[in-house]
Amino acid sequence: MYKILIVEDDLTIAKIVREHLMKWDYQVYCVSDFKGVEACVNETKPHLILLDILLPFYNGFHWCSKIRQTSKVPVIFLSSASDNMNIVMAMNMGGDDFIEKPFDLDVLTAKIQALLRRTYDFAEPGNQLSYKGVTLNLNDATVSFGQQKFDLTKNDFKLLQILMENAGKIVRRDRIMERLWESDEFVDDNTLTVNMTRLRKKLEGIGVENFITTRKGIGYLIE
């Protein structure tokens, strides 16, 4: 489930957008402390941020710039201040899209879905595999989710790679072990179970739960 953070000081707008997006099965948070937007981003680890420009204390440009220092999370600016200067500024500060208020909720949803697909569901050929917000970087053997990232061991990397390459399909245990055999390291059936358990715990550590499913006596899959 994708997480969306709404940074909007108009509580009526924030509530309407939140309730609408929840109907689409998004997990939605609203910032309440406009002095601590960056802290809220770090705490909720959203997959996408809806960010107003005119906010108490610091404007949306300030917060987008701060967020971009540590994260590439997609940001959509929402604002009634839609003159060319603000749109250009929003893009220069690291925004990915700009939607003028008042906006149609269906248009907002379509833009969110498109941006999430571009960011998380499509792999960058030769460099990474992405599925449901989880990204496996093939260049440096790391996995990331939201703003969390960690290094994988050689076996963890190969396990996750074969499962993500076959997302939605069951990968048989013997096929996984053959993949690990290619690494010149023998892995028996019990060792595979241990390695899979360790990989799951690492994924849970960055907030990815129930990502890998076991088909008893057959193999594993990412649904």
Side-chain angles (χ1 to χ4, degrees):
M1 181 182 292
Y2 288 116
K3 294 186 288 186
I4 296 176
L5 179 65
I6 300 173
V7 188
E8 167 64 69
D9 63 321
D10 187 318
L11 299 183
T12 300
I13 294 177
K15 181 181 178 181
I16 290 173
V17 172
R18 179 176 183 270
E19 291 178 350
H20 175 78
L21 293 178
M22 288 176 65
K23 293 177 182 178
W24 286 87
D25 293 328
Y26 293 116
Q27 190 172 347
V28 188
Y29 302 90
C30 294
V31 168
S32 57
D33 177 11
F34 292 96
K35 286 184 178 179
V37 172
E38 188 177 12
C40 187
V41 171
N42 294 332
E43 180 181 350
T44 58
K45 300 176 179 61
H47 298 100
L48 183 142
I49 298 173
L50 299 177
L51 180 61
D52 191 13
I53 293 178
L54 302 176
L55 296 168
F57 307 110
Y58 302 100
N59 64 30
F61 300 140
H62 167 85
W63 290 119
C64 189
S65 178
K66 294 286 288 184
I67 291 166
R68 280 291 171 262
Q69 293 176 16
T70 58
S71 173
K72 294 181 180 180
V73 59
V75 174
I76 297 178
F77 277 92
L78 306 176
S79 180
S80 56
S82 58
D83 57 90
N84 289 341
M85 182 62 71
N86 277 319
I87 295 174
V88 170
M89 181 70 74
M91 299 301 104
N92 287 341
M93 289 296 101
D96 296 277
D97 205 343
F98 190 106
I99 299 178
E100 181 182 358
K101 294 178 182 177
F103 49 81
D104 183 276
L105 288 172
D106 291 331
V107 172
L108 173 64
T109 303
K111 284 180 172 288
I112 288 172
Q113 291 172 337
L115 187 50
L116 287 173
R117 283 197 303 270
R118 290 198 301 269
T119 306
Y120 300 108
D121 284 348
F122 295 145
E124 182 180 333
N127 294 321
Q128 65 184 34
L129 296 171
S130 296
Y131 191 73
K132 292 187 176 180
V134 178
T135 299
L136 177 65
N137 191 310
L138 305 181
N139 292 329
D140 60 7
T142 60
V143 64
S144 58
F145 181 71
Q147 298 178 68
Q148 299 294 306
K149 180 178 180 179
F150 67 80
D151 296 323
L152 294 168
T153 65
K154 180 169 59 178
N155 281 350
D156 287 344
F157 173 72
K158 286 185 174 291
L159 285 173
L160 191 55
Q161 182 181 10
I162 191 172
L163 290 174
M164 292 187 70
E165 286 174 345
N166 295 275
K169 303 176 184 177
I170 297 175
V171 184
R172 298 182 63 86
R173 292 177 67 91
D174 56 357
R175 184 182 171 195
I176 296 174
M177 286 189 284
E178 287 175 6
R179 182 72 163 260
L180 293 175
W181 180 271
E182 293 175 0
S183 68
D184 297 323
E185 180 176 345
F186 177 72
V187 179
D188 62 23
D189 197 68
N190 184 60
T191 302
L192 174 59
T193 301
V194 172
N195 285 357
M196 193 64 74
T197 299
R198 182 180 63 218
L199 176 59
R200 281 172 165 151
K201 288 182 178 179
K202 288 184 177 180
L203 290 171
E204 289 172 359
I206 59 170
V208 184
E209 298 185 3
N210 303 317
F211 190 62
I212 301 172
T213 301
T214 301
R215 289 290 185 264
K216 193 171 182 180
I218 304 176
Y220 303 90
L221 81 156
I222 295 174
E223 298 188 85

